Amino acid sequence: MAEEGDAPVILSNAPGSFSRSVLAERHPALIKKVRDAFPYDPRRHRALDALLSQATEGVVEPPDPDAHDHDMWEAWSREYIGLSWFDVPFLWAESYFYRQLLAAVGYFEPGPWQGIDPFRPFKQAELHTEEAAEELAALDALARRPLDEQRQALLLGSLWGNRADLGFAVGGGPAGAADSRLVADDSALLWSLLPEGGAATLCLVADNAGRELLPDLILIDHLLRHRHAERVVLHVKPCPYYVSDAMTADVIDCLRHLRGAHGNAAEVGERLWAAMGEGRLTVRAHTFSCAPLPYAKMPDDLRQEFADADVTVMKGDLNYRRLVGDRLWPATTPYEERTAYFPGPVASLRTLKSDVIVGLDARTEARLDAEHGRDWRTSGTLALIQARR
């Protein structure tokens, strides 16, 4: 197995790099978006201004000594204090930015803003779009298709999330057409890990809330209903993270949205609501889910949970970065090699939105480089399904 030192860690100090654009452009824009979404008081405005200045022009400052999670973040940040945000690992800088953004808006502090999700308006808006309604309505047509077509359409819907292809998948497109944007497709292996009637335990580590979480839940319903899984553990974040990452409250919002829909979508919502009450679907929010660390450093209790599962499915780009390591691996590095430490079978459903990628064959990489330059790694227009036993 290749050691982490064999590939450079991704920083944000290279001009023109994707990671630099996140810190220099996306984070300032997000601060403004959050500020505009709530009537924060002057103290909160000053804290947001200070974070903007620190993250774009200053250096990493230590966590507040009175913070509830000071000891954890003090240990995680010790070697980066005093450095430019652009000179520390990209994964760490992003995570610390969101931790400090929550502090700036008073999320952790006793008072009127405690526990108020600063990203909730954006998550809620996604649930009530015309596109989301069309995707739920497509379930009625999908229910008339053969089961093998249903399950593959639902898997692709979960993969693409808020670029959902469920409507495409049931709209009469040629079989396999959706696969043309997959740079790797281990879906057959994934389904072999979840055979019908196998009574498996599945851990699904969620990514985004809103319109992306809906197809995740619909896929979970199919897996439970057709006994590809006897039990599903849905891992979400314990606090707001990365703008739209799902928390327990977002799961409940989505279930209520499904139950209030029409046709097959409403039936899915009722079944999932009942599954939670029966313990066949459980929600888990582990503290490590918001850690600035790769899964290779997961604590023992989380490692045991994944070991006890028959398969763990990691959704989204951030989970992929944490799973394989946020480094510039050669794209041909085997997925099996980078996930060898993981305590059980694991799969990734991911649209490509960052520089990290492994598990490609050399011919595919050369074709993508020739057609798109390096932009194919970050555009979100391509995706992958990777798995290993």
Side-chain angles (χ1 to χ4, degrees):
M1 174 177 173
E3 296 295 330
E4 287 204 344
D6 293 342
V9 66
I10 295 178
L11 306 176
S12 305
N13 52 14
S17 66
F18 172 76
S19 54
R20 185 177 185 85
S21 72
V22 170
L23 268 61
E25 300 169 19
R26 290 190 186 183
H27 286 180
L30 177 59
I31 289 176
K32 182 180 186 305
K33 191 174 180 180
V34 167
R35 178 199 293 269
D36 292 343
F38 290 91
Y40 290 122
D41 55 65
R43 179 186 173 199
R44 301 298 164 207
H45 285 170
R46 289 193 296 271
L48 289 169
D49 289 341
L51 176 60
L52 175 61
S53 176
Q54 178 195 142
T56 56
E57 302 171 355
V59 297
V60 176
E61 296 182 5
D64 185 337
D66 296 325
H68 74 286
D69 55 358
H70 170 268
D71 291 348
M72 284 193 305
W73 275 104
E74 197 278 332
W76 292 337
S77 62
R78 190 176 297 124
E79 61 186 300
Y80 306 129
I81 299 302
L83 299 180
S84 165
W85 286 66
F86 296 90
D87 292 333
V88 303
F90 178 43
L91 176 64
W92 187 92
E94 280 195 288
S95 295
Y96 196 51
F97 171 81
Y98 283 100
R99 169 60 185 81
Q100 296 301 75
L101 177 60
L102 292 181
V105 298
Y107 182 85
F108 300 112
E109 180 183 322
W113 294 104
Q114 186 175 35
I116 302 298
D117 182 354
F119 312 130
R120 182 173 174 78
F122 321 136
K123 298 173 181 177
Q124 287 288 298
E126 278 204 353
L127 283 179
H128 299 285
T129 61
E130 183 178 338
E131 293 83 0
E134 290 174 353
E135 287 155 11
L136 293 185
L139 291 174
D140 294 335
L142 183 61
R144 297 191 289 271
R145 294 291 187 91
L147 282 178
D148 60 339
E149 292 186 23
Q150 291 184 39
R151 72 177 191 180
Q152 192 66 12
L154 294 176
L155 180 66
L156 291 172
S158 177
L159 165 66
W160 287 103
N162 57 14
R163 304 179 68 93
D165 272 76
L166 186 55
F168 173 84
V170 300
D179 294 349
S180 63
R181 291 171 297 163
L182 298 184
V183 301
D185 183 4
D186 292 340
S187 56
L189 174 55
L190 175 56
W191 286 120
S192 76
L193 296 170
L194 292 167
E196 190 170 355
T201 293
L202 165 69
C203 282
L204 193 153
V205 184
D207 187 32
N208 292 333
R211 191 175 156 206
E212 181 168 331
L213 186 56
L214 287 174
D216 292 344
L217 291 168
I218 293 166
L219 175 62
I220 288 171
D221 170 69
H222 183 89
L223 296 176
L224 290 171
R225 187 183 182 197
H226 297 286
R227 297 204 61 212
H228 291 283
E230 188 70 24
R231 178 172 176 262
V232 175
V233 181
L234 179 62
H235 284 254
V236 297
K237 301 297 190 297
C239 63
Y241 197 58
Y242 278 67
V243 185
S244 57
D245 280 23
M247 302 189 301
T248 302
D250 302 311
V251 175
I252 303 307
D253 284 343
C254 285
L255 291 180
R256 286 177 174 151
H257 187 74
L258 286 168
R259 294 176 82 198
H262 302 286
N264 193 266
E267 295 174 11
V268 170
E270 294 295 342
R271 285 194 296 266
L272 289 171
W273 195 273
M276 287 193 71
E278 296 161 358
R280 293 185 298 119
L281 170 59
T282 59
V283 179
R284 182 84 162 95
H286 197 287
T287 302
F288 188 76
S289 295
C290 293
L293 304 172
Y295 281 106
K297 297 184 179 180
M298 73 181 92
D300 291 342
D301 63 329
L302 184 59
R303 180 179 295 274
Q304 189 60 54
E305 286 191 37
F306 291 144
D308 290 341
D310 292 274
V311 61
T312 296
V313 174
M314 297 280 186
K315 273 294 309 291
D317 196 75
L318 175 59
N319 281 321
Y320 189 86
R321 292 163 59 193
R322 297 184 70 195
L323 179 67
V324 305
D326 202 38
R327 292 172 176 264
L328 294 174
W329 304 108
T332 54
T333 303
Y335 179 79
E336 295 81 2
E337 177 181 295
R338 290 306 317 140
T339 61
Y341 70 89
F342 201 81
V346 64
S348 297
L349 304 181
R350 176 220 183 187
T351 54
L352 275 55
K353 298 178 182 177
S354 66
D355 287 307
V356 178
I357 192 163
V358 298
L360 297 191
D361 61 70
R363 181 176 299 179
T364 298
E365 181 187 17
R367 174 179 60 81
L368 292 170
D369 283 341
E371 292 176 358
H372 307 285
R374 284 189 65 88
D375 288 347
W376 63 268
R377 295 170 178 254
T378 59
S379 66
T381 59
L382 300 173
L384 58 78
I385 302 172
Q386 292 176 323
R388 70 124 174 105
R389 293 187 180 277

